[in-house]
Amino acid sequence: MTAPPFSTVLVANRGEIAVRVIRTCRELGIATVAVHSDVDAGALHVRLADEVVSLGGTTAAESYLDVSKIVAAIEQTGAEAVHPGYGFLSENADFVTAVQQAGGVFVGPPAEAMELMGSKLSARAAATAAGVPTIPGSEHPVVDGDGVRAFAARHGYPLAVKASYGGGGRGMRVVHGDDEADAAVESARREATAYFGEPEVYVERYLERPRHVEVQVLADELGTVVAVGTRDCSVQRRHQKLLEEAPASTISAETADAMFQASIALAKAVDYRGAGTLEFLAQDDEFFFLEMNTRLQVEHPVTEAVADIGTAGRVDLVAEQLRIAAGLPISFEQADLSVSGHAIELRINAEDPRGGSFLPTPGPITALQPPSGVRFDTGYERGDVVSEHYDGLVGKLVVWGEDRPAAIANARRALRELGVGGIRTTAPAHGLILEHPHFVEDVHTTRWLETESTMARALDRLADVPVEAGLPPRRLATVNGRTYWMPDDGPPPQVVLQTAERGADLVSSDGIVRSPMQGTIVKLACAAGDRVEADQVVCVLEAMKMENPLRAGRTGVVTSLEVALGDSVAPAQVLLSIEEDDA
């Protein structure tokens, strides 16, 4: 048996990615240390680890984002290496340095490469220097709407204001005209600060019909860079991915090869090491560099599902990360790789897709029934609680087929067998997506889910579909004397074992603005005595790292304001009242 690359690895994360890393470490014979907040004291990743250290605190800032606490855990346990997972501190160059100063090995790229590629502005500059095509964008940060308007004068609208640090659609706002610029910059800077600790934003051209295509790379200390494969991540809502596929099926072999060469060139140019993802927007046989994620991606399992290395089986990206961090070479070469079949990943998030709102739905999971015969990466079991303080990803349903139609068919079957109780999830939306002709025909784009009228109507109809405990919505039908169970006229495929009540709508017309969910007030846009318009945003509520603008719902005067900035609020709590006026 090959000796493990490390004796002990501290996993500086939570949820399904922490579970994923812990299980791979166990397979490699590596002991693991889990860290946790007070909220996660009994979480699945804690139950699976060999050793546990409490970070205390409730919020991410008080626990998983506190570098000093994690460094103390390294010193306390003597862990040889630290795997950051994704999110939290996974792309924080200061954390890399702190881990190394504490005597540990960071499972990821050098701090210098992370810092260079962590800022989208410097990453764009590096890409341009390496000959990689980039979308026209500002060379310097913008601090207000004037910067956006100046850029628009040269390039036109629409534009995207984007956080320089981080990713996943956080800190991004689309601007369609001069009048939207100030609010977009303000909101993007606020969200970028809250989620990444850095307020810096920049502006770039916004493509109208793009596909989101990624290239997964691995790079070791010997200077070898391997392009493991492509992924298509075009099914998104709020600029965040919901469904991913591998390989990307709409680009030609020539385009894929050009993306591979561009990705390898950029990784070598910045002296990259570890697992990384180059993200591109592809449109009309062109592709443009978007950003580089200097960490493992949420969607990495679809690449693992199709990246064939012959007799060695499939690629294990976490195992390769650990090998590279220990100074070992990548265990395979570019020539060893081939694509086997097609894979689809469905993100099962604690969100209510009814009406297209995708509102967070934290709460206890009263039942969890994974489908058989497919991969389901999760950080939860029955009885666990999805906390409003963290991301709402419950699990990732990963299916494989010999080709894309087979993978879609297998995803439909698996989705019908999935059961989640106590909370609503994105599973019904996935059912609509998998059945829609645009998805089946592979002609959707990154804004399709939110702009395609038939999808919008289908999501609206989800609110009218009855839910039966333990069974998907269906009805009895008798044909020629024989009785059949028939799917109801509305395709949510999830087996909902128990459901939670839906919160109030984002817009109410009764003059009382209520919170649609548990969360935190991060912006107040009015005060008592102010006159507001019906479609005016009166406050912004953050839940599960997502900002939700709440609108007045009627034109009138704010007669009472029941909350203050920073307040935590409960579902259906009254936030403010508006009385109609005669103006």
Side-chain angles (χ1 to χ4, degrees), residues 71-94:
V71 167
I74 297 169
E75 295 171 342
Q76 174 185 334
T77 61
E80 269 190 277
V82 174
H83 195 301
Y86 51 70
F88 293 138
L89 296 170
S90 63
E91 294 180 285
N92 186 309
D94 291 337

Side-chain angles (χ1 to χ4, degrees), residues 166-177:
R170 311 294 188 184
M172 175 177 171
R173 298 294 182 271
V174 179
V175 185
H176 296 279

Side-chain angles (χ1 to χ4, degrees), residues 431-497:
L432 296 172
I433 293 165
L434 293 170
E435 296 286 349
H436 198 284
H438 289 178
F439 179 79
V440 174
E441 296 164 11
D442 215 4
V443 296
H444 56 288
T445 64
T446 57
R447 289 185 291 283
W448 167 77
L449 184 60
E450 294 175 316
T451 60
E452 165 54 36
S453 60
T454 57
M455 274 300 298
R457 288 196 296 271
L459 288 169
D460 284 341
R461 289 185 63 254
L462 288 179
D464 301 324
V465 175
V467 177
E468 299 178 32
L471 290 172
R474 56 183 184 169
R475 56 190 170 81
L476 285 172
T478 302
V479 181
N480 294 331
R482 299 176 65 179
T483 301
Y484 303 88
W485 275 113
M486 302 291 289
D488 211 352
D489 185 20
Q494 179 189 20
V495 181
V496 181
L497 303 176

Side-chain angles (χ1 to χ4, degrees), residues 112 185 213 343 412 504:
E112 296 77 14
V185 172
V213 179
R412 291 169 179 165

Side-chain angles (χ1 to χ4, degrees), residues 238-531:
R238 299 184 180 183
H239 310 292
Q240 296 174 345
K241 302 163 190 171
L242 190 62
L243 178 154
E244 300 95 357
E245 305 180 64
S249 55
T250 59
I251 59 174
S252 65
E254 292 76 18
T255 300
D257 184 65
M259 284 185 173
F260 281 179
Q261 298 308 315
S263 300
I264 291 171
L266 184 52
K268 287 185 175 181
V270 300
D271 193 24
Y272 195 78
R273 291 197 300 276
T277 296
L278 286 295
E279 298 196 351
F280 300 92
L281 291 181
Q283 181 175 298
D284 299 331
D285 296 323
E286 294 182 292
F287 65 90
F288 303 94
F289 172 76
L290 191 61
E291 63 180 321
M292 183 177 188
N293 289 297
T294 55
R295 53 168 169 80
L296 199 65
Q297 291 281 90
V298 177
E299 58 271 23
H300 74 273
V302 287
T303 295
E304 294 178 326
V306 300
D308 196 323
I309 43 179
T311 57
R314 297 288 201 267
V315 172
D316 184 326
L317 291 170
V318 173
E320 295 298 332
Q321 282 186 296
L322 294 167
R323 285 179 55 85
I324 293 168
L328 301 172
I330 301 168
S331 67
F332 56 89
E333 299 178 358
Q334 189 76 57
D336 298 329
L337 281 167
S338 63
V339 176
S340 176
H342 195 89
I344 297 174
E345 175 182 287
L346 310 178
R347 297 195 191 190
I348 309 301
N349 298 321
E351 298 173 20
D352 187 349
R354 293 181 297 175
S357 59
F358 290 95
L359 300 179
T361 57
I365 299 175
T366 58
L368 185 57
Q369 175 185 301
S372 61
V374 299
R375 177 174 173 175
F376 185 64
D377 285 11
T378 182
Y380 297 93
E381 292 179 324
R382 186 180 67 176
D384 292 339
V385 176
V386 179
S387 171
E388 73 274 12
H389 297 292
Y390 312 118
D391 186 89
L393 180 62
V394 176
K396 302 181 305 194
L397 193 59
V398 184
V399 301
W400 181 91
E402 293 185 356
D403 53 25
R404 190 171 185 270
I408 292 174
N410 291 339
R412 291 169 179 165
R413 188 274 304 171
L415 200 57
R416 289 185 180 278
E417 293 181 6
L418 174 67
V420 182
I423 56 172
R424 288 199 176 269
T425 75
T426 51
H430 284 299
L432 296 172
I433 293 165
L434 293 170
E435 296 286 349
H436 198 284
H438 289 178
F439 179 79
V440 174
E441 296 164 11
D442 215 4
V443 296
H444 56 288
T445 64
T446 57
R447 289 185 291 283
W448 167 77
L449 184 60
E450 294 175 316
T451 60
E452 165 54 36
S453 60
T454 57
M455 274 300 298
R457 288 196 296 271
L459 288 169
D460 284 341
R461 289 185 63 254
L462 288 179
D464 301 324
V465 175
V467 177
E468 299 178 32
L471 290 172
R474 56 183 184 169
R475 56 190 170 81
L476 285 172
T478 302
V479 181
N480 294 331
R482 299 176 65 179
T483 301
Y484 303 88
W485 275 113
M486 302 291 289
D488 211 352
D489 185 20
Q494 179 189 20
V495 181
V496 181
L497 303 176
Q498 181 177 330
T499 63
E501 290 298 317
R502 189 182 189 206
D505 289 335
L506 287 179
V507 177
S508 174
S509 60
D510 64 358
I512 300 176
V513 178
R514 302 174 178 84
S515 174
M517 68 201 84
Q518 187 167 347
T520 303
I521 302 295
V522 295
K523 179 181 179 181
L524 285 172
C526 67
D530 286 355
R531 188 177 187 280

Side-chain angles (χ1 to χ4, degrees), residues 61-207:
E62 296 168 342
S63 53
Y64 301 104
L65 288 172
D66 191 321
V67 173
S68 63
K69 288 183 178 180
I70 296 178
V71 167
I74 297 169
E75 295 171 342
Q76 174 185 334
T77 61
E80 269 190 277
V82 174
H83 195 301
Y86 51 70
F88 293 138
L89 296 170
S90 63
E91 294 180 285
N92 186 309
D94 291 337
F95 181 55
V96 178
T97 302
V99 169
Q100 293 168 342
Q101 290 175 345
V105 175
F106 181 79
V107 182
E112 296 77 14
M114 181 180 288
E115 196 161 37
L116 178 64
M117 303 311 288
S119 165
K120 293 183 177 67
L121 289 173
S122 58
R124 284 169 52 86
T128 300
V132 180
T134 59
I135 299 174
S138 59
E139 297 179 359
H140 304 287
V142 296
V143 296
D144 54 31
D146 289 341
V148 176
R149 286 184 281 269
F151 187 84
R154 300 191 303 273
H155 297 278
Y157 289 106
L159 300 173
V161 176
K162 304 177 70 173
S164 294
Y165 298 87
R170 311 294 188 184
M172 175 177 171
R173 298 294 182 271
V174 179
V175 185
H176 296 279
D178 286 353
D179 59 330
E180 300 176 10
D182 295 297
V185 172
E186 178 193 351
S187 179
R189 284 174 59 86
R190 182 174 61 250
E191 189 171 76
T193 302
Y195 204 76
F196 307 117
E198 295 284 350
E200 185 177 283
V201 298
Y202 72 105
V203 62
E204 69 179 20
R205 174 188 166 198
Y206 191 57
L207 298 180

